[in-house]
Amino acid sequence: MRGKTDTGQTGGYQVLDKLGEGATAQVYLVRSPDDRKMYALKYSPHTDRLMAESAILGRLHHPCFPCRTADGRTAEGAYLVMEYIPGITLQQLMEQYPAGMPERMAAGIGLDVAAGIAWMHRCQPALIYRDMKAANVMITPEGRARLVDLGAAVCGVGAQEKSCRAGTHGYSAPEQFWEGVKVTPACDVYGLGKLLAFMLTGQDPAKPPYDTMEYCRRHCGIRRPFQQLLVKCLQPDPQLRYPDASFLLPLLEGLKTGKKHIGDRKHSKKRNRITCRYIKCIWMSEYERIF
């Protein structure tokens, strides 16, 4: 790792292992010389970007996100030290569910993630995550979902980096790659919809076929309430989606617990009435024919 000393130290932290690597940064498992605890250390030569991520992470006092411990600069870049979250990524977990996981399980993971994103959206000014994907969701040994890697997050509704259209193709909302269009919390709603679709179908949004909504429509294992939620989340027009992640919380809570939505109950009653009338008509015609 560039910027570390010959003794394997960075900012006084002992580097133990490499956890991952992205386009602009590397993440290491380190040990603190003070409390001997293990932390995750993110190093990047892009100093300003990493310092901006550190500032945003410092505002996120929510269990969905890792706690920031420290940050600093080296001769060739910067580092960010944060809580180490053990477990596996959602991307790795999905290898066990090639055809999709049970709806309640997907709703539970989605609820954990949506709660963190909703907290970001309620900040003043609002924070926008922008890079929702299964590789950025950690599943802890306790089964809870937590979000990592806020390198693409921005502060303020309508904020957008001129030099970098951040996001992951297949997951990110269309407006994140349109020039001259400002991003809003609705782009995170789109990313959440893609994440939920991945969990329900096993079809990775970042791989072909890229028409997630069409794939969901043809998937016989997704019930109507979840289909309705996905349709609303994955609208190409951001004004037709849920405005922010807080709107998803009661819906996902209901899907997690198995509680039916009012609209779904109305639909069921209407369908039953139609079915009964249809059966009655058949019975009447048979009755008239016989007698």
Side-chain angles (χ1 to χ4, degrees):
M1 176 174 62
R2 292 182 300 173
K4 72 178 183 180
T5 65
D6 294 336
T7 58
Q9 307 280 335
T10 297
Y13 293 85
Q14 180 186 3
V15 177
L16 302 177
D17 194 11
K18 189 173 186 178
L19 297 176
E21 183 174 2
T24 61
Q26 303 88 39
V27 181
Y28 297 87
L29 179 65
V30 299
R31 179 182 287 119
S32 169
D34 300 325
D35 55 18
R36 307 302 295 173
K37 291 183 179 179
M38 291 188 295
Y39 296 90
L41 183 147
K42 185 174 185 177
Y43 176 83
S44 174
H46 302 276
T47 303
D48 293 340
R49 185 177 300 178
L50 191 61
M51 289 295 100
E53 179 181 352
S54 178
I56 288 177
L57 191 60
R59 295 179 56 188
L60 297 179
H61 306 294
H62 189 278
C64 186
F65 305 100
C67 297
R68 184 188 67 175
T69 300
D71 58 27
R73 301 171 185 264
T74 67
E76 298 182 7
Y79 62 89
L80 166 62
V81 183
M82 56 198 140
E83 173 190 3
Y84 168 61
I85 301 176
I88 62 173
T89 67
L90 179 57
Q91 188 77 38
Q92 293 170 320
L93 179 63
M94 287 307 300
E95 294 176 4
Q96 304 175 26
Y97 299 95
M101 63 177 60
E103 281 194 358
R104 290 192 182 185
M105 183 178 180
I109 293 174
L111 183 60
D112 283 347
V113 176
I117 295 297
W119 199 94
M120 291 182 70
H121 292 169
R122 286 194 295 267
C123 290
Q124 296 297 328
L127 299 173
I128 304 173
Y129 186 75
R130 291 204 303 172
D131 197 17
M132 186 65 61
K133 58 183 176 182
N136 286 347
V137 179
M138 291 296 300
I139 307 299
T140 69
E142 297 76 26
R144 302 307 300 267
R146 302 185 66 182
L147 269 173
V148 296
D149 193 356
L150 282 90
V154 291
C155 180
V157 173
Q160 181 61 282
E161 296 180 66
K162 295 180 180 179
S163 60
C164 179
R165 312 294 292 186
T168 300
H169 285 281
Y171 278 97
S172 298
E175 65 268 21
Q176 290 181 235
F177 303 102
W178 294 342
E179 293 295 333
V181 177
K182 297 178 180 179
V183 296
T184 66
C187 75
D188 288 338
V189 171
Y190 187 94
L192 280 165
K194 289 281 189 168
L195 194 72
L196 290 166
F198 183 21
M199 289 190 284
L200 291 170
T201 66
Q203 175 62 45
D204 193 337
K207 298 178 181 179
Y210 298 102
D211 192 348
T212 300
M213 199 60 251
E214 180 60 29
Y215 192 85
C216 290
R217 288 192 187 99
R218 291 187 281 106
H219 196 284
C220 61
I222 304 177
R223 295 184 299 116
R224 181 181 175 83
F226 236 132
Q227 286 276 13
Q228 291 174 329
L229 184 149
L230 292 175
V231 168
K232 185 75 171 178
C233 289
L234 297 176
Q235 290 292 328
D237 185 346
Q239 295 184 355
L240 299 179
R241 300 176 207 140
Y242 298 109
D244 59 65
S246 64
F247 288 81
L248 295 175
L249 301 182
L251 302 175
L252 289 170
E253 180 66 37
L255 290 165
K256 177 184 176 182
T257 58
K259 183 179 179 181
K260 289 186 178 181
H261 295 283
I262 295 176
D264 194 42
R265 289 199 297 269
K266 288 181 178 178
H267 174 77
S268 298
K269 291 179 180 179
K270 181 179 179 182
R271 181 178 56 200
N272 290 338
R273 287 199 300 270
I274 293 173
T275 303
C276 290
R277 284 200 298 268
Y278 179 69
I279 294 172
K280 184 178 180 180
C281 289
I282 294 176
W283 182 84
M284 286 291 291
S285 61
E286 285 294 299
Y287 180 87
E288 292 170 354
R289 184 179 65 80
I290 296 172
F291 296 95

